[in-house]
Amino acid sequence: MKENRVKVAVTGAAGQIGYALLFRIAAGEMFGPGTKVILSLLELPQAIDAAKGVVMELQDCAFPLLENIEVSDSPEVAFADADWALLVGSVPRKKGMERKDLIKINSQIFIEQGKALSQTARKTCKVLVVGNPCNTNAFIAKETARNIDPRNFFALTMLDQNRAYAQIVQKTKVPLTAIEGLVIWGNHSATQFPDFYNATIKGRPLIDAVADEEWLQKDFIQKVQQRGAAIIHARGLSSAASAANAVINTVQKLLNPTASAERFSLAVVSDGSYGIEKGLIFSFPVRSNGKDWEIVSDLPLNEFSQKKIKESEQELLQERAAIKSLLEK
Ligand code: NAX
């Protein structure tokens, strides 16, 4: 039997999400029990020692599937021959920093990493961006990684989807598995739209089962949009284990055929579907056949949904405008 092996580059490996993610990848949760894993960790020079500590712990877990671990502070070295790149590391927003400042600072990281991916990763490498602002960071990496198909660039919105499911479970007390098709549109930000109109509970429209459209339109959307902030408020730190879990979910969903009635949230390059500007990295309802993905194309959108989706598109167009001149250099 042919031995499967996958090389996964993870940036920000010494950070919170890195710590919650790497052990699950090494244990085989992401690629399954038949695939050996090589981890290639990228960190800033000042965090290399901390990353080496994580490596020691990974070694001490004696994971049978973990074939090798490499650490580097050079993107070209860390991405060499990577099959997957999970771009987690970025500069967090600090007090007094505006979103547009954050976008500019992080854009430099993703320009550099996009170029490095293009130079040294496999041409088939798939790139999932977690570091915020993740849609625009993924857009930048896609634009700068000339040798990699734009369809291989993704940004994480699975955590938002999982948060939406959790809110509906809390409201209705139905089991999580009874809910289907609840998907996030747009930007991973406070403009994202969790599309409850196209979701079902036990096969019935979710809005009928919840029977409180006002709650769905206001509180539910707000709770999903603001969940990250609520976690920072409660924990004093941003979500880490749930974010890592969503990264695992996303890769699994891309690698396995989507069940016939299902779809999942993933920010992918827009092909103009639903009138969204081509080229933006936008969260759509997506399906996979295990090898390739497609945007689910036939969902009805009412006036309310269209307005919400357009608002999120506008925000992403503004983010794109803010970094456009940097890409032209
Ligand atoms: P931490 O600050 O704990 O860790 C980030 C790590 O990245 C640090 O170790 C830092 O040294 C490293 N780093 C910074 N710049 C780097 C570079 N150029 N190359 C390599 N490493 C670099 O943050 P953590 O809590 O792990 O969060 C990481 C990112 O995920 C943040 O941008 C955060 O906003 C984002 N998130 C995205 C989510 C999503 O759903 N898309 C949800 C969770 C999280 O908020």
Side-chain angles (χ1 to χ4, degrees):
M1 204 177 91
K2 187 176 157 278
E3 204 175 50
N4 292 320
R5 180 176 282 101
V6 63
K7 180 165 180 179
V8 192
V10 182
T11 75
Q16 285 203 92
I17 296 176
Y19 197 71
L21 177 63
L22 291 166
F23 297 83
R24 294 184 63 183
I25 301 174
E29 272 193 68
M30 190 171 262
F31 300 100
T35 302
K36 294 214 162 164
V37 175
I38 299 167
L39 284 173
S40 179
L41 314 184
L42 178 70
E43 255 300 349
L44 295 175
Q46 62 268 30
I48 285 288
D49 280 347
K52 286 183 180 162
V54 178
V55 171
M56 286 188 247
E57 283 205 75
L58 281 160
Q59 289 166 338
D60 293 350
C61 289
F63 289 120
L65 291 172
L66 183 57
E67 199 169 78
N68 195 15
I69 320 170
E70 300 156 7
V71 188
S72 177
D73 60 7
S74 153
E76 287 80 8
V77 173
F79 296 149
D81 297 324
D83 299 294
W84 281 85
L86 309 175
L87 307 186
V88 180
S90 68
V91 173
R93 190 160 164 178
K94 299 194 182 89
K95 220 175 168 183
M97 200 191 269
E98 285 186 34
R99 192 171 165 90
K100 67 173 188 313
D101 303 326
L102 182 76
I103 289 172
K104 288 226 164 105
I105 293 169
N106 279 303
S107 60
Q108 294 305 337
I109 297 176
F110 289 84
I111 289 172
E112 188 195 6
Q113 293 186 358
K115 286 182 182 162
L117 282 163
S118 198
Q119 280 166 23
T120 67
R122 284 180 190 268
K123 304 279 170 281
T124 50
C125 182
K126 294 195 166 62
V127 182
L128 175 61
V129 180
V130 180
N132 279 321
C134 63
N135 296 56
T136 294
N137 290 341
F139 174 84
I140 293 167
K142 159 181 82 72
E143 292 293 306
T144 44
R146 302 269 168 196
N147 293 328
I148 300 176
D149 188 339
R151 285 177 54 88
N152 287 14
F153 287 82
F154 311 103
L156 184 77
T157 51
M158 182 63 72
L159 177 56
D160 306 296
Q161 172 178 316
N162 288 343
R163 287 168 172 169
Y165 273 70
Q167 289 303 320
I168 297 297
V169 167
Q170 283 177 43
K171 172 82 173 168
T172 59
K173 314 286 180 234
V174 298
L176 191 99
T177 48
I179 309 166
E180 280 187 328
L182 181 52
V183 161
I184 306 294
W185 294 76
N187 199 2
H188 168 70
S189 76
T191 66
Q192 64 178 273
F193 173 53
D195 182 6
F196 52 85
Y197 282 112
N198 280 307
T200 58
I201 294 183
K202 293 186 189 135
R204 281 173 74 200
L206 182 145
I207 46 164
D208 295 346
V210 172
D212 189 349
E213 196 167 347
E214 197 185 328
W215 178 83
L216 286 165
Q217 287 190 345
K218 292 200 182 119
D219 301 31
F220 167 68
I221 294 182
Q222 220 173 48
K223 271 178 199 268
V224 177
Q225 290 173 340
Q226 300 298 334
R227 187 69 164 181
I231 286 167
I232 293 175
H233 183 73
R235 219 170 78 87
L237 288 167
S238 56
S239 342
S242 54
N245 181 61
V247 174
I248 304 261
N249 292 163
T250 300
V251 175
Q252 284 172 340
K253 285 192 184 286
L254 278 167
L255 291 176
N256 294 288
T258 313
S260 61
E262 262 302 337
R263 47 185 175 260
F264 60 94
S265 308
L266 184 61
V268 297
V269 60
S270 170
D271 60 356
S273 293
Y274 298 95
I276 300 303
E277 173 86 358
K278 270 191 188 170
L280 284 184
I281 297 282
F282 196 87
S283 186
F284 285 103
V286 165
R287 293 175 50 76
S288 174
N289 64 9
K291 291 199 165 59
D292 201 5
W293 57 266
E294 62 176 12
I295 295 170
V296 176
S297 61
D298 51 0
L299 293 176
L301 296 173
N302 64 18
E303 211 177 300
F304 180 88
S305 307
Q306 282 180 26
K307 185 166 169 279
K308 291 280 173 203
I309 290 169
K310 279 286 157 200
E311 277 168 17
S312 208
E313 182 193 23
Q314 277 310 312
E315 184 182 45
L316 280 170
L317 288 170
Q318 282 164 14
E319 291 185 13
R320 187 183 68 177
I323 51 92
K324 195 165 178 279
S325 63
L326 302 171
L327 289 181
E328 284 158 4
K329 279 182 191 155

